């Protein structure tokens, strides 16, 4: 017999005067959290009560109703209503919508109401804010009605404006909220989708990587070009700025780089014309000039402009104010913001007086020029008073030019025949042009670069000859190069020996290479040597000099070994120009010779065939051939019927301890007889040989390697 489904009866609702309601001790919420009571009261005042209270009739000791009702679920709403009554914004007899319960447990009702409540998904919040703005509400109004800062509203609206495709990925838990935030730096949906497509396939999907890709073709607002023209000028010209509302972006990223460069060039042109009006023959203007751009130019020595009485009074007042502030707050752990700001203003003002332009003689200015550029802080940098060699010749060849109102070439900066000064030659975006070295000027100038180069060439040849006659110093010099490259890759020391030691990387690595026997031995030996070498590369030469020949040779061997490259690269890499096929073959032949010379044993080095490093990555035919070579035909037949995964695992078991090696690890046949014990291979160069035992440091290295 089928059991009839019991019908559900909902609890009745009724309006109960507020003064008939009291809080119940069965309410499970004890800890405050979320929206405050004050904010909830304001929300009720704005929207009225959106959710009924859950109440039960209060009973006396005999179980009879008292006419009062307890509120086990809805305590925060009750307190908000109570606050409105206290503020006289609501009558105490105001009817409150209530759901009246008379069965079950009040405690269970309170727990269920709070436990089963689910907050909005963040994406629903973002879209709700967007819908409110689309309905005509401003960001400020939305913030006020929902008790959040305006910045939070802007953030949620920005998140809602991300590409719908990415929002769907986020809704399906395909990306984190932090990752979604990273995409808000640009409003270009196509670019967002492009970056997400690349990031999701490559695994480079950290938020900072996303931001970097989205802004890689932009300019930071901290760039000196931006500081020079001003962000407001860029935006007024129609330039767009990408902003990150979720992390400090230091002003954002400027999207229109071409517009920025045009504004910079225009402002540089204006500044160059202003400076050229001072009377200079030429002006070179650029964002920056290369180091040494004034080499070969004669610099004029100007005199600081005399201070007026008003300027001197201003300086004295600023210095007095500065001294007073420093005396008043000299003992303070931290300066107040206004004091710190004022001291900065005073320092900047005093610096402007110290850096006031120099004054030059008009006759010198007529054949000299100035460099106009931008410093690292975005301020205009003007270097005045540089004379080019060709202008020196023009000036000395005919002094009459200045008196007659024109120079020898009739160029700008000197009054023309009618007494009018012509405009200076202005070059924007360029630096100093190449100028030939002139002879015959009776002025003191640096030696010509070509002459210095010729003299240093002779010295270099003499040094080569001298070093070639002293093998011990030569060995130490090469060792010095090697140790610098191995242990001090970021050191400050430079070397005159153009010998490089490069440790090649491995394009592909077998599994577990980092934990192999050779890797651990090299790491231990390296750590032991590093502990014995000085902390600073400046002290390295002295430390090497103090070592005996044996220790030097052992350190030399460790460093030289880091440069070994016996990697066989595939044909496609060869054709890409990294190295010719002939070059790689020659490199591998030399690796074979070196292997024979050191007696390389790959079995002792810890290599053995496994599924991961070989057997699982070759064909079934090769697996059978491998077992046939190592264990014979009978063993090969045992695995013929197996599928490849099982065949590879069984072959690994059969080959264990066999000593079999694949061709790339075998090398060429040994053609050098091993040296007798105590002879040959372990001997040092004659000029380094000593009668001493191995140093204590080398003993420690050997102990560490043995322990590994």
């Amino acid at each position: 017999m089928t059991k009839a489904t019991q019908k559900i009866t909902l609890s009745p609702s009724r309006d109960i005067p507020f003064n008939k309601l009291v809080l119940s001790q069965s309410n499970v919420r004890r800890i405050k959290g979320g929206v405050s009571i004050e904010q909830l009261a304001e929300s009720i005042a704005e929207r009225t009560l959106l959710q009924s209270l859950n109440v039960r009739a209060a009973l006396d000791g005999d179980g009879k109703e008292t006419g009062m009702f307890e509120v086990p679920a809805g305590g925060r709403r009750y307190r908000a209503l109570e606050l409105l009554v206290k503020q006289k914004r609501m009558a105490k007899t105001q009817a409150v919508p209530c759901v009246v319960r008379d069965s079950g447990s009040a405690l269970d009702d309170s727990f269920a109401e709070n436990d089963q409540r689910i907050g909005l998904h963040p994406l629903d919040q973002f879209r709700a804010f967007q819908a409110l703005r689309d309905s005509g509400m401003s960001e400020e109004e939305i913030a006020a009605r929902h008790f959040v800062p305006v910045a939070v509203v802007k953030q949620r609206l920005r998140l809602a404006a991300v590409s719908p495709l990415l929002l769907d990925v986020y809704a399906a838990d395909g990306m984190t909220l932090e990752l979604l935030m990273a995409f808000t730096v640009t409003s270009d949906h196509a670019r967002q989708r492009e970056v997400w497509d690349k990031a999701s396939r490559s695994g480079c999907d950290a938020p900072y990587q996303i931001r970097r890709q989205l802004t890689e073709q932009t300019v930071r607002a901290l760039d000196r070009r931006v500081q020079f023209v001003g962000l407001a000028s860029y935006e007024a010209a129609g330039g767009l700025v990408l902003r990150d509302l979720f992390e400090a972006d230091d002003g954002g990223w400027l999207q229109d780089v071409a517009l920025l460069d045009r504004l910079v060039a225009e402002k540089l042109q204006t500044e160059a014309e202003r400076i050229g009006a001072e009377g200079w023959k030429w002006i070179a203007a650029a964002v920056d000039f290369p180091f040494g751009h004034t080499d070969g130019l004669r610099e004029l020595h100007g005199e600081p402009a005399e201070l007026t009485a008003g300027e001197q009074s201003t300086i004295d007042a600023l210095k007095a104010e500065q001294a007073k502030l420093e005396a008043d707050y000299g003992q303070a752990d931290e300066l107040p913001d206004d004091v710190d700001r004022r001291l900065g203003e005073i320092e900047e003002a005093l610096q402007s007086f110290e850096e006031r332009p120099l004054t030059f003689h008009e006759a010198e200015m007529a054949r000299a020029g100035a460099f106009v550029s931008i410093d690292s802080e975005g301020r205009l940098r003007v270097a005045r008073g540089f004379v080019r060699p060709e202008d020196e010749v023009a000036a000395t060849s005919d002094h009459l030019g200045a008196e007659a109102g024109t120079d020898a070439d009739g160029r700008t900066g000197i009054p023309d025949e009618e007494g009018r000064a012509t405009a200076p030659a202005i070059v924007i975006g360029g630096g100093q042009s190449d100028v030939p070295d002139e002879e015959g000027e009776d002025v003191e100038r640096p030696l010509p670069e070509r002459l210095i180069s010729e003299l240093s060439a002779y010295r270099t040849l003499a040094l080569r000859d001298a070093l070639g006659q002293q093998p011990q110093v030569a060995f130490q010099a090469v060792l010095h190069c090697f140790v610098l490259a191995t242990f001090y890759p970021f050191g400050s020391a430079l070397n005159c020996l153009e010998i490089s030691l490069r440790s090649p990387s491995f394009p592909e690595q077998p599994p577990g290479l980092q934990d192999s026997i050779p890797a651990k031995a090299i790491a231990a030996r390296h750590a032991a040597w590093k502990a014995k070498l000085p902390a600073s590369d400046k002290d390295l030469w002295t430390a090497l000099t103090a070592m005996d020949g044996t220790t030097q040779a052992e350190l030399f061997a460790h460093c030289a070994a880091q440069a070994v490259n016996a990697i066989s690269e595939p044909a496609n890499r060869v054709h890409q120009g990294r190295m010719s096929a002939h070059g790689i073959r020659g490199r591998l032949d030399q690796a074979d010779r070196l292997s024979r010379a050191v007696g390389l044993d790959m079995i002792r080095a810890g290599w053995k065939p496994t599924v991961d490093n070989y057997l699982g990555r070759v064909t079934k035919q090769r697996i059978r051939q491998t077992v046939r070579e190592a264990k014979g035909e009978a063993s090969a037949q045992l695995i013929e019927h197996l599928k490849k995964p099982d065949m590879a695992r069984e072959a690994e078991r059969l080959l264990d301890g066999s000593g079999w090696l694949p061709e790339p690890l075998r090398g060429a046949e040994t053609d050098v007889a091993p040296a007798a014990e105590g002879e040959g291979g372990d001997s040092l160069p004659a000029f380094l040989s000593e009668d001493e035992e191995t140093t204590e440091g080398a003993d420690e290295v050997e102990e560490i390697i043995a322990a590994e």
Side-chain angles (χ1 to χ4, degrees), residues 388-446:
R388 298 177 298 195
E390 65 267 31
D391 295 328
E392 297 275 15
V393 173
T396 56
S397 62
D398 190 359
H399 181 68
L400 184 61
E403 298 177 353
T406 180
D407 66 4
D409 297 328
R411 285 186 288 187
T412 61
I414 299 178
D416 61 14
E417 294 176 354
E418 298 181 4
R420 295 172 301 186
T422 57
I426 297 177
V427 179
I428 299 295
Q432 170 193 355
S433 59
D434 294 332
V435 293
D437 183 41
E438 302 290 347
E439 301 178 9
E441 297 88 358
D442 190 16
V443 293
E444 183 178 350
R445 291 188 297 161

Side-chain angles (χ1 to χ4, degrees), residues 667-682:
E669 293 297 325
T670 301
D671 58 7
V672 179
E677 185 175 355
E679 299 178 0
D682 292 334

